[in-house]
Amino acid sequence: MMPRLPLALGAMNYLQILRDASFLELGVLGLLMVVSVASWALIALKHTQLSRARTQSLAFLDSFWKASRLETIYQDAQKLEGSPLSKVFCAGYEELSKLAQTNKEGAEGAMSERLGGIENVERALNRASTAQLTDLESRVSFLGTVGAASPFVGLFGTVIGILNAFNSIAEQGNATLATVAAPVGNALFATAAGLFAAIPAVVAYNSFVSRIKVFDTEMANFSADFLNIVKRHFFR
């Protein structure tokens, strides 16, 4: 047997709701529909991006800890463009390459150059981490905005619908339950539309923020490990 819809949903005539709606109510419903479609598109996009980043980051870490030469790791990292960790490594490696190519003017001068160079590598790692974090967080705030504002937009449409319904009832001079129930129920449809747009956005927003925080921690830990490796090799 096919599952039966709840009575309220099954009794709704959605076309009739749209016919009876005012221009302001239609505007609210149209706005919520556009926002909902945009939210689902963004959810799919960010989910794909974060899943790709996770897969490629695991592949990069496996390559990083198994390889014995930084040049080999750099070549592998350039192929993993979706990984934030590989981008951070590439930035640090490129700065380290510039340090290795500087002219050495004696032991004391070389040591001071190396100290300054290590600081440059650390700054390059921090800049790359910040850039990658910004990229991961891009447009996620839109989901938070949708989740916070959509219920109120839907409630606004409901209030307008109820006011129009009572004005119509007052003009007709008939306020029985049969005449009140249908227009008020139709007005409440805007609140349901607002919740329909808000709930997926809130769930996705919390999930994405949690996953991005993990990437932020991993980039910080990787930067510290990479600097330790560099210092061991440059200050032997």
Side-chain angles (χ1 to χ4, degrees):
M1 293 180 61
M2 294 293 292
R4 298 180 61 185
L5 291 173
L7 181 59
L9 294 178
M12 278 187 176
N13 186 333
Y14 298 102
L15 292 178
Q16 189 63 39
I17 291 175
L18 296 178
R19 291 194 192 101
D20 295 340
S22 65
F23 287 110
L24 188 55
E25 290 176 279
L26 289 175
V28 169
L29 292 175
L31 175 62
L32 290 173
M33 182 182 69
V34 171
V35 166
S36 180
V37 171
S39 296
W40 279 107
L42 181 57
I43 289 170
L45 179 65
K46 296 305 293 187
H47 175 72
T48 302
Q49 179 188 11
L50 294 176
S51 297
R52 182 188 180 200
R54 169 56 53 202
T55 301
Q56 293 194 5
S57 292
L58 292 175
F60 168 75
L61 288 175
D62 184 64
S63 172
F64 178 81
W65 293 114
K66 287 183 178 179
S68 57
R69 295 176 58 85
L70 293 179
E71 294 83 354
T72 303
I73 301 173
Y74 182 70
Q75 293 174 0
D76 293 338
Q78 288 182 312
K79 301 175 184 177
L80 303 173
E81 297 182 352
S83 169
L85 296 182
S86 68
K87 294 290 185 65
V88 172
F89 169 80
C90 287
Y93 177 82
E94 289 167 2
E95 189 64 34
L96 186 62
S97 298
K98 296 176 184 178
L99 172 63
Q101 293 173 2
T102 56
N103 296 326
K104 298 178 175 58
E105 300 176 354
E108 185 177 352
M111 180 60 69
S112 62
E113 288 181 2
R114 289 175 182 178
L115 286 171
I118 290 298
E119 293 177 356
N120 290 339
V121 173
E122 184 174 5
R123 283 194 291 269
L125 293 172
N126 291 336
R127 284 195 303 269
S129 297
T130 301
Q132 292 304 307
L133 186 62
T134 301
D135 181 60
L136 293 173
E137 291 177 339
S138 64
R139 298 184 296 276
V140 172
S141 60
F142 174 76
L143 296 176
T145 302
V146 171
S150 291
F152 295 102
V153 175
L155 183 60
F156 172 74
T158 296
V159 171
I160 297 300
I162 290 176
L163 289 175
N164 291 336
F166 278 107
N167 286 335
S168 177
I169 292 169
E171 291 175 0
Q172 296 175 6
N174 186 1
T176 65
L177 181 61
T179 58
V180 171
V184 171
N186 293 346
L188 291 173
F189 180 72
T191 299
L195 294 175
F196 179 80
I199 292 174
V202 170
V203 173
Y205 174 80
N206 291 332
S207 174
F208 292 155
V209 167
S210 177
R211 293 166 70 178
I212 290 170
K213 285 182 180 179
V214 173
F215 280 112
D216 187 21
T217 302
E218 289 180 345
M219 286 188 290
N221 291 338
F222 174 78
S223 297
D225 291 338
F226 181 73
L227 282 174
N228 287 336
I229 293 172
V230 170
K231 289 176 181 178
R232 284 200 302 267
H233 284 80
F234 272 75
F235 295 94
R236 289 181 298 179

